[in-house]
Each structure stands twice: as structure tokens, then as C-alpha cells.
Amino acid sequence: MDKMNKDALLQRIQELSFAKTELELFLDAAPDNKQALDYFHKTLDALIAAKEEYEANYGPITTAGVSRSRWNWIDGPWPWQREGDMPDPDTPLNCRGTRD
Amino acid sequence: MWIYETKLHYPVKIKNPNPKLAGVIISQLGGPDGETGAALRYLNQRYTMPSAEAIGVLTDIGSEELGHQEMVAAILYQLTKGLTPAEIKAGGFDKYFVDHTLGIYPTSAAGMPYTAASMQSKGDAVADLMEDLAADAAIPQAQSLSKDRRKPLRNKDFSYLGKRRNFYHLAIT
């Protein structure tokens, strides 16, 4: 498989994770449904593979995926931020406690 | 316990800040039927549910609601990023701003901070599940204020529950 770019891969992870969540909720109320269980595991396998590829190339998704050489968990952007939103520690705080 | 994944449940990419919209959407975060309320209801009601299925459903939905809470907060963060005081005032967001600036604070659009007084956890499975229906069914009413004009649910929309054994099966098994 060609290496997807970061945004496309993250979107794929979000899609698979969304499907997995829906299957979890369905199976909670229908635990004996074999077809749903098989589909859950198929989705989970694809999700794990996508997460491994993302963490190998772009950064951790959980702290279990943190680099061995530095604590890259806190690198931005965080999920609610856009590129360039991370506060610059060299800019002093203003009187409102922000840096803008 | 909970694991955090550094991604949103669904992407949030707001193109233009909009303080007026933020002043309404804030209820989805901290209003009586918002995501905070949903998460706290399900996660607290699950302990006394009488069946494994019900405990599973409430645990997993409650966890998902925490992810929804994060999405709504991300929406609010992006809707208010970089606003000038003039824009904030023009958008009617000044009353929120005076107490919180652009910080994300769970409150309702009318200015009532989130309170557990707007939820209930009674240790009775049917009462608790009805409480959840009341809160979750109210969300479409709130959504009807946005461009997506979904109809609010009415009592008649729930008539199928009387016919389905599964709902009561969850509660009384």
C-alpha cells in the first residue's frame, strides 16, 4: 500500500475508529451476534494497522506510541488546533494570560 | 478507566470565527442536555444497572460522549480564535467573554454554568434510561437552531419502544 499522507491517514483512522465505536455499542446490546463480532474484529485489525503506520511516521496517538528518544506526546498540534496554533514558549504571556 | 487518543472523534475545521454561533453552541457543551451532561449521566448511571448489556451500553456511550464534548469544545475554540473585542461585542459574546475571555467554560447559552442538578441518577434502571431519553431527545431540539433543521422528537416518535421488548429487556433482565 502506498504511504498515505498524514491527513488522509488520520481521516482513515477516524473513519475506522468511528465504525468500531458503533460496533461496540451494537454488540453491547447484541453480544451473541457473530456477524457483528466478525465485522468488529475486521475493523479493529484495519484500525490497528492504520494506527501503527501513523505512529511510525507522524507521531503518537496514545502515550503507548511515544518515541523512545524524546517525549513527543506534547508536540502539537493538539486535536482541536490548526497548524501554527501551538503557543510559542518564547513569547511572553500578556496580562490576560495568553500569548496573542 | 480511560485512555486518551490524540485525535478528534470527527474532524473539526472551522473556516471562519463566529462569536454569535459560539454563543449558541456553548449550550451543546455545558447546557442541561449537552455533551457534558450526557457523559456524566451515562457514566454515573452505569454502576447500578441490572444487566451486563446495560452496563456495557452506558459505559461505551458515556465514553463516546466525552469524545463529543471534546469536539464541541474544539468547535468553540475555533469559532472564537483570534476575535477582537469589537467582534466579540458585535457577536453578543461579550457577556461570556467578561468572565472567561476566550477560555472554554461549560455553561448554557443563557449563562447557567453546567450543573448536575439538570441530570439524575436514581439507581432505578427504567427511571435512569428514561432520563437519558429525555436528555438525548432534547439535542435535536437544540440542533434545530442551526442550519440543519432536524425536527425535535415527540412522544409519538417513541411509540416503537413499547413494541420492542429489547428496551425493557435491557432494563429488567
Side-chain angles (χ1 to χ4, degrees):
Chain A
M1 187 170 92
D2 291 335
K3 198 156 65 153
M4 292 165 106
N5 69 35
K6 182 179 181 185
D7 285 347
L9 188 51
L10 187 60
Q11 182 170 329
R12 176 157 166 76
I13 289 171
Q14 285 169 317
E15 287 167 0
L16 289 166
S17 180
F18 202 100
K20 172 177 161 281
T21 301
E22 293 295 298
L23 285 160
E24 284 170 3
L25 296 178
F26 178 83
L27 284 159
D28 280 334
D32 300 320
N33 188 317
K34 185 75 171 61
Q35 195 184 3
L37 184 63
D38 289 343
Y39 190 27
F40 173 84
H41 281 286
K42 190 169 155 226
T43 307
L44 181 59
D45 289 341
L47 176 61
I48 290 172
K51 277 184 182 172
E52 278 174 4
E53 192 187 328
Y54 185 93
E55 291 189 320
N57 293 297
Y58 301 114
I61 289 182
T62 68
T63 52
V66 157
S67 150
R68 285 188 181 271
S69 55
R70 49 179 291 273
W71 186 248
N72 61 351
W73 174 244
I74 56 174
D75 290 353
W78 284 81
W80 58 91
Q81 293 175 330
R82 318 295 291 274
E83 294 291 335
D85 263 7
M86 277 297 277
D88 169 22
D90 294 328
T91 309
L93 292 172
N94 63 26
C95 62
R96 281 189 291 113
T98 65
R99 287 195 168 91
D100 51 44
Chain B
M1 59 154 286
W2 281 271
I3 293 173
Y4 180 73
E5 293 187 325
T6 177
K7 63 171 177 61
L8 292 181
H9 194 49
Y10 189 93
V12 168
K13 292 186 175 119
I14 306 290
K15 290 195 182 68
N16 301 306
N18 186 332
K20 198 165 175 209
L21 201 52
V24 175
I25 288 179
I26 191 83
S27 253
Q28 193 65 18
L29 181 71
D33 305 310
E35 307 295 344
T36 306
L40 289 177
R41 274 179 186 84
Y42 304 136
L43 293 174
N44 279 296
Q45 287 169 354
R46 65 198 176 110
Y47 301 103
T48 51
M49 281 286 143
S51 78
E53 288 88 345
I55 294 173
V57 166
L58 292 183
T59 297
D60 294 338
I61 301 185
S63 303
E64 189 186 338
E65 297 292 356
L66 290 174
H68 292 176
Q69 190 192 48
E70 187 187 30
M71 278 196 288
V72 176
I75 290 171
L76 292 166
Y77 172 85
Q78 293 184 16
L79 279 174
T80 55
K81 184 113 181 62
L83 289 175
T84 65
E87 287 168 328
I88 288 164
K89 191 145 200 269
F93 202 62
D94 44 345
K95 291 186 178 59
Y96 176 94
F97 185 84
V98 68
D99 290 328
H100 310 293
T101 71
L102 296 178
I104 303 300
Y105 180 80
T107 182
S108 74
M112 187 172 77
Y114 177 75
T115 169
S118 63
M119 58 168 262
Q120 180 55 284
S121 173
K122 290 195 76 77
D124 174 288
V126 177
D128 284 348
L129 291 172
M130 284 298 173
E131 155 78 17
D132 299 341
L133 280 176
D136 244 322
I139 290 176
Q141 289 179 331
Q143 286 177 342
S144 71
L145 285 173
S146 71
K147 268 186 256 181
D148 172 29
R149 298 200 164 266
R150 292 173 57 182
K151 274 175 36 193
L153 297 177
R154 303 276 182 232
N155 284 336
K156 67 175 174 64
D157 296 311
F158 289 105
S159 62
Y160 73 93
L161 284 172
K163 298 183 190 111
R164 279 174 55 109
R165 283 185 306 115
N166 287 349
F167 176 72
Y168 293 107
H169 182 80
L170 261 185
I172 65 179
T173 300

